[in-house]
Amino acid sequence: MSQQVFPSASFPAYPTIKLNPPSGWTHQVVPDALGALMAPAAEGRYTANVVISVSRRLPGYQLRDIAASVDSFLDALPDAVLLATEPVVINGRDWHVREARYTHPQAGSLAQFTAVTVVHQDAAADVVQLTGSCQPIEDNGDLKAIYSLVASADVTPAP
């Protein structure tokens, strides 16, 4: 067997993901994800964040497949209330966006905003997921910041 290289045409690199975080947000390494963007921390308050992840699927995997999985996951959260969803186009790419309100055992009431898209390559389909979390309080600037960050997403196949 000949030497195999990662990335290559057989094992493509993950897509390029460009995001514009709000002023003051910082980056952080988190397990099992590409990383996270974090709002400025405030003592006694949940820190709003957006976790960025990519998962590899077989060729032919479609946005409707991951959309059903996201909706099922969010619906299973404690005291979950799913808000309406519709297909969204962000920077020319189709996304499934869903927001849920639920009760986190340690953090209390949270809003979770999940956006997913599928990047098709010859050898694989990559699911890009942006998951934002914050406290769902009235006039919450954190939720607006998460919306803005997700709206800035520019995802392209790896070169």
Side-chain angles (χ1 to χ4, degrees):
M1 179 178 226
S2 63
Q3 183 180 40
Q4 295 296 303
V5 178
F6 300 84
S8 66
S10 297
F11 303 104
Y14 283 150
T16 300
I17 304 165
K18 297 177 186 174
L19 301 167
N20 297 321
S23 179
W25 283 48
T26 58
H27 61 275
Q28 185 168 344
V29 173
V30 295
D32 302 320
L34 296 179
L37 296 168
M38 311 289 290
E43 191 170 331
R45 199 171 129 219
Y46 181 85
T47 302
N49 64 81
V50 174
V51 176
I52 304 119
S53 61
V54 176
S55 58
R56 180 129 304 161
R57 301 291 197 273
L58 295 173
Y61 193 81
Q62 298 297 320
L63 183 57
R64 69 179 172 275
D65 300 319
I66 190 61
S69 178
V70 165
D71 290 351
S72 178
F73 172 82
L74 291 175
D75 191 44
L77 291 171
D79 304 322
V81 175
L82 272 60
L83 304 179
T85 187
E86 60 186 63
V88 175
V89 176
I90 301 172
N91 289 319
R93 177 170 291 284
D94 292 330
W95 290 77
H96 174 76
V97 177
R98 192 65 182 249
E99 186 176 339
R101 307 291 169 104
Y102 72 104
T103 304
H104 187 277
Q106 288 83 32
S109 182
L110 290 180
Q112 183 165 316
F113 186 83
T114 303
V116 291
T117 190
V118 178
V119 178
H120 297 280
Q121 302 189 65
D122 289 339
D126 291 321
V127 175
V128 175
Q129 182 167 325
L130 307 176
T131 304
S133 300
C134 67
Q135 291 178 311
I137 54 178
E138 194 73 30
D139 294 327
N140 189 347
D142 288 338
L143 192 53
K144 292 175 186 170
I146 290 169
Y147 293 160
S148 174
L149 193 152
V150 170
S152 78
D154 186 6
V155 178
T156 55

